[in-house]
Amino acid sequence: MNSRPGPLTPRNRVRELYATPLGRDIVDKILLQSGAPGSLVKLAGGLRLSTLERLTRRFTGPGLVDALLGLVNQHTEPVPDGEPSQAWWREAVFYQIYPRSFCDANGDGIGDLRGISSRLDYLAELGVDCLWLSPIFASPNEDMGYDISDYRAVMAEMGTLTDVDELVAGCHQRGMRIILDLVVNHTSARHAWFQQAIADPDGRYGDYYFLREGAPDRPPNNWDSFFSGPAWRWIPEADRWALHLFAAHQMDLNWSNPAVRDEVADIVGWWLDRGVDGFRLDVINYISKPDGLPDGNPFVGRLMEFTGIEHYFYGPQLDEYLRELRRDGFTRPDGSVAVMVGETPGIGVEGARLLSNTSRAELDLVFNFDVLDLPGRTRWHDYRYDLNYLKRFWLSWQQRLRPGDWIALFLDNHDNPRMLSKVGHGDERDPAVRTSIAKLLATLQLTMRGTPFLFQGQELAATNQSFAGLDELRDVESLNRYQELLVAGTAPEAAWAQIMAGARDHARVPIRWGDDQDFGPTAWLPGRDDTPGFTAAEQQAEPDSVWHWYRQLIALRREHPALTRGSFRPVEPGRKDYLAYVRELDGEAWLIEANLSGRPRRRPRHGLVAEPVLGRPAGPTLGPWETIVGRIDAVQQRR
Ligand code: TEU
Ligand code: CA
């Protein structure tokens, strides 16, 4: 695709829709959500969209094609190749900290900034390059800091601005960087802007949010909230509706107001002046909403679980707002640009390329969430995750990357159950299996081409928890969802099973340090797994542990640029349960091999011989979940 295609109409064919970046992503997403085979695109490629609509109307209802075209036609430009980025973050290993659960310095049961500072040597020893802190700004914690009431103040229980300065300095002294979490799709209802907006909806701040007049029993549109119920809350004081895509007091900011965009750029600049190295931008692809906030298509809503999402997951002005924010907020006086990591739920591979290709000057890195669940599944399903899907997904992504593209690789974060438990599906209760799977995941994440984002606890093989009941959970999403399921008539046991499969609380339990500064019984979130052998102290003392495996992998990456900047070539990609690839740069080559299953598997005869640097010497078979990182002999390579 070289020229910019004109707008698509219902007379265009499925294959033409699929040739546009967002069209391809949407079709892929529909197939993924419904678990339908990818070959359908080829089969239906010649159909006109109007015909497709006629054929499927019985299931989808009217308006589906119009809804898709409305979105696709806003972004038909092809993604250019771009130039490779030379920036530091391409070779870096990021490490996400969930501050409440990381380390508690003052013993009140809540992790804090001084706790993080006290563990900087631990992190430096592990070898990570850049920390990302989930929110630490002032917040009523309806959504654990993702609801900010003051962007220039620190949450009381986390510490003070001085503590932030000390933490930043501590990172820099150790050669590490640090980024913070910028949550600007919404603010807390307690933010002064919102308070002033509802006190005077026609005044300056009224237009900072989406306040709408109307009848108190009829929300302005049919959009759903991600945390149950409608995305609108009636505000009696203001006699207005207010939009909240997330929890009831996370009020969406109106980015079409230039004053809002200026405020955000100022906040970024203020923190960059304090020395932080960039931000992770929360749900940043949701910031642009179309004028008039039209109703969502009900079929898309059912499919994606959230009505309205097609209107804002890649909104009309998204690219423009990001470029402006990059220029006015993230560009330092000396012209350098602080890193912009976009959290972009719902964005597919082509959308990711549009948002982060170097030629576009928008974001640097984005997260793609499609890797987290198998086709047709969501995190609320209790099932065994098959790593052959991860393989398929990552390999196809690698193939689609152009020079100006790069990807963020992640398996765990604070919003998802642990990948280790999804893969093990109970088998990880055996400590040996737990260790093998953790090492396997570490190897893939740290040797695949892309920038790895580790989440705290991965290096300790942290697993899902066995919470005793609802009163052990803290997350607004789990609690709301449970109630919603009961109201909808789901039996309590079935509702609980869903919550246990998907709860974000699994990943948020406090880190197990296993030393005298550990979280005590008053930890803010109970229910922590206590299997012997998996505290930080125990893992560090055991040379064969998951912790040391991570440390060695990270050190290898640092020493051998082939593992970061090197080319990527899959080996025997068609072989089930087997993932192998070669990374190569300047005559140095590495072979990574993995058994993606819990049973022994024969190694294919690919003829490559590698000297194991991590793992056992390769025999004719690979053991359950076994992985080997080996260096390919230079002579052999030349042949
Ligand atoms: O998450 C955005 C998001 O869409 C999801 O990951 C979300 O947690 C969940 O899947 C909705 O069903 C970001 C933050 O990472 C999350 O912690 C916040 O709760 C959310 O934004 C709102 O700020
Ligand atoms: Ca504390």
Side-chain angles (χ1 to χ4, degrees):
M1 266 193 308
N2 299 315
S3 61
R4 186 192 173 113
L8 298 181
T9 72
R11 295 195 50 76
N12 282 95
R13 299 181 192 272
V14 170
R15 100 166 66 77
E16 289 154 336
L17 174 72
Y18 201 66
T20 66
L22 290 193
R24 175 163 184 180
D25 279 357
I26 291 166
V27 173
D28 284 350
K29 189 75 178 184
I30 292 176
L31 296 175
L32 189 67
Q33 288 291 115
S34 55
S39 53
L40 269 186
V41 182
K42 275 228 173 77
L43 284 173
L47 286 185
R48 286 194 202 284
L49 295 170
S50 50
T51 313
L52 183 74
E53 164 120 347
R54 228 177 325 107
L55 292 175
T56 56
R57 209 191 205 112
R58 266 185 47 213
F59 315 102
T60 64
L64 180 60
V65 164
D66 281 347
L68 296 186
L69 292 184
L71 174 61
V72 167
N73 282 334
Q74 285 164 10
H75 309 280
T76 47
E77 70 277 20
V79 196
D81 282 359
E83 292 293 322
S85 166
Q86 302 303 327
W88 62 271
W89 44 259
R90 259 184 62 153
E91 277 109 67
V93 175
F94 285 73
Y95 182 98
Q96 182 192 352
I97 289 182
Y98 196 68
R100 277 188 113 61
S101 311
F102 190 66
C103 182
D104 175 20
N106 66 353
D108 66 354
I110 300 175
D112 45 47
L113 291 164
R114 304 186 69 154
I116 301 172
S117 282
S118 76
R119 300 291 179 177
L120 287 180
D121 287 331
Y122 167 90
L123 294 163
E125 205 182 322
L126 185 60
V128 298
D129 301 283
C130 183
L131 306 184
W132 147 32
L133 266 46
S134 274
I136 55 163
F137 302 150
S139 164
N141 286 311
E142 185 187 10
D143 187 20
M144 295 305 163
Y146 284 92
D147 47 330
I148 294 172
S149 55
D150 184 347
Y151 291 92
R152 293 179 178 80
V154 174
M155 196 187 295
E157 56 269 49
M158 292 288 153
T160 63
L161 280 174
T162 313
D163 295 332
V164 182
D165 294 341
E166 278 174 23
L167 176 58
V168 172
C171 287
H172 291 166
Q173 274 156 24
R174 289 167 179 81
M176 291 191 283
R177 290 181 165 90
I178 179 166
I179 65 173
L180 302 181
D181 214 315
L182 188 67
V183 188
V184 286
N185 172 70
H186 43 265
T187 73
S188 160
R190 300 254 189 97
H191 195 290
W193 300 335
F194 191 74
Q195 292 300 315
Q196 294 173 72
I198 60 174
D200 179 10
D202 300 313
R204 170 178 153 79
Y205 290 97
D207 200 29
Y208 270 44
Y209 296 89
F210 295 97
L211 299 181
R212 293 290 181 271
E213 287 175 291
D217 55 354
R218 246 196 84 199
N221 69 20
N222 67 355
W223 294 6
D224 287 325
S225 153
F226 290 100
F227 293 155
S228 306
W232 293 92
R233 181 161 66 93
W234 177 252
I235 316 276
E237 308 94 286
D239 216 21
R240 299 278 195 288
W241 286 98
L243 178 71
H244 64 90
L245 291 183
F246 291 89
H249 297 83
Q250 285 173 298
M251 317 317 301
D252 279 58
L253 281 167
N254 173 18
W255 277 67
S256 64
N257 179 353
V260 167
R261 307 203 298 272
D262 285 349
E263 299 269 16
V264 174
D266 281 354
I267 292 166
V268 171
W270 193 84
W271 281 102
L272 294 189
D273 287 347
R274 276 200 114 89
V276 309
D277 298 288
F279 282 94
R280 172 263 193 190
L281 297 98
D282 190 62
V283 289
I284 199 65
N285 56 315
Y286 291 180
I287 56 177
S288 166
K289 282 112 186 162
D291 290 344
L293 307 179
D295 273 344
N297 176 281
F299 173 75
V300 176
R302 276 198 307 277
L303 185 76
M304 304 305 298
E305 269 192 276
F306 303 107
T307 304
I309 194 163
E310 73 272 25
H311 290 301
Y312 57 75
F313 97 95
Y314 202 127
Q317 257 97 40
L318 178 60
D319 302 303
E320 179 190 324
Y321 295 161
L322 289 175
R323 278 181 203 140
E324 185 185 295
L325 181 60
R326 187 176 188 86
R327 187 191 66 211
D328 299 346
F330 283 79
T331 305
R332 302 189 188 89
D334 68 1
S336 63
V337 185
V339 69
M340 297 173 79
V341 181
E343 193 229 9
T344 50
I347 290 291
V349 176
E350 298 306 313
R353 298 187 54 227
L354 281 171
L355 291 172
S356 62
N357 185 281
T358 50
S359 67
R360 310 242 319 155
E362 298 183 27
L363 299 166
D364 292 315
L365 288 165
V366 300
F367 296 116
N368 180 307
F369 293 85
D370 291 337
V371 70
L372 293 179
D373 287 290
L374 297 187
R377 306 289 192 150
T378 72
R379 76 184 145 101
W380 306 108
H381 292 114
D382 181 9
Y383 69 97
R384 184 190 293 274
Y385 183 97
D386 178 357
L387 284 171
N388 287 288
Y389 171 71
L390 178 95
K391 164 183 164 182
R392 202 158 30 99
F393 185 85
W394 274 354
L395 290 190
S396 109
W397 200 350
Q398 292 293 341
Q399 253 172 24
R400 285 159 72 176
L401 290 185
R402 309 295 305 155
D405 298 323
W406 198 247
I407 62 180
L409 300 163
F410 83 103
L411 298 171
D412 284 16
N413 68 15
H414 65 296
D415 290 335
N416 284 280
R418 295 282 183 177
M419 183 56 89
L420 167 44
S421 293
K422 292 205 285 190
V423 172
H425 200 231
D427 295 349
E428 79 283 10
R429 278 191 283 263
D430 173 345
V433 174
R434 178 170 174 173
T435 298
S436 305
I437 300 177
K439 287 181 178 176
L440 167 66
L441 295 176
T443 309
L444 301 183
Q445 203 187 346
L446 288 161
T447 62
M448 181 72 47
R449 195 152 158 271
T451 295
F453 281 74
L454 306 177
F455 178 60
Q456 66 183 36
Q458 275 183 266
E459 77 279 21
L460 306 174
T463 55
N464 284 352
Q465 316 299 312
S466 37
F467 295 105
L470 215 53
D471 58 345
E472 287 200 341
L473 301 185
R474 297 288 174 271
D475 181 24
V476 60
E477 184 191 38
S478 316
L479 300 172
N480 286 359
R481 193 179 173 94
Y482 184 77
Q483 293 312 330
E484 190 185 46
L485 288 168
L486 293 194
V487 169
T490 312
E493 308 75 54
W496 178 248
Q498 269 199 42
I499 301 301
M500 272 307 88
R504 307 195 293 184
D505 308 70
H506 285 300
R508 300 182 178 185
V509 296
I511 287 292
R512 297 176 61 198
W513 294 104
D515 59 22
D516 54 7
Q517 220 211 90
D518 207 343
F519 283 83
T522 60
W524 74 279
L525 174 60
R528 197 168 67 162
D529 151 79
D530 57 3
T531 315
F534 293 93
T535 64
E538 288 163 319
Q539 287 277 307
Q540 286 188 289
E542 162 60 51
D544 237 6
S545 68
V546 171
W547 195 88
H548 283 287
W549 187 270
Y550 268 94
R551 186 185 56 71
Q552 292 171 77
L553 273 171
I554 297 172
L556 272 186
R557 281 173 59 97
R558 193 166 291 208
E559 205 181 321
H560 303 279
L563 290 169
T564 51
R565 274 183 293 120
S567 62
F568 176 91
R569 180 166 63 81
V571 178
E572 302 272 345
R575 169 72 72 112
K576 187 165 185 283
D577 291 342
Y578 177 77
L579 174 55
Y581 43 88
V582 174
R583 303 291 317 268
E584 186 172 357
L585 185 76
D586 299 335
E588 187 180 316
W590 290 75
L591 174 67
I592 291 88
E593 285 187 284
N595 176 354
L596 304 181
S597 81
R599 275 174 289 163
R601 286 279 179 261
R602 287 199 79 75
R603 295 174 63 234
R605 261 173 269 175
H606 45 55
L608 293 166
V609 185
E611 181 67 26
V613 175
L614 270 180
R616 297 185 312 170
T621 58
L622 287 168
W625 312 114
E626 182 172 0
T627 170
I628 309 172
V629 179
R631 206 171 157 154
I632 300 179
D633 172 84
V635 179
Q636 191 203 163
Q637 232 178 286
R638 253 179 274 121
R639 274 187 302 171

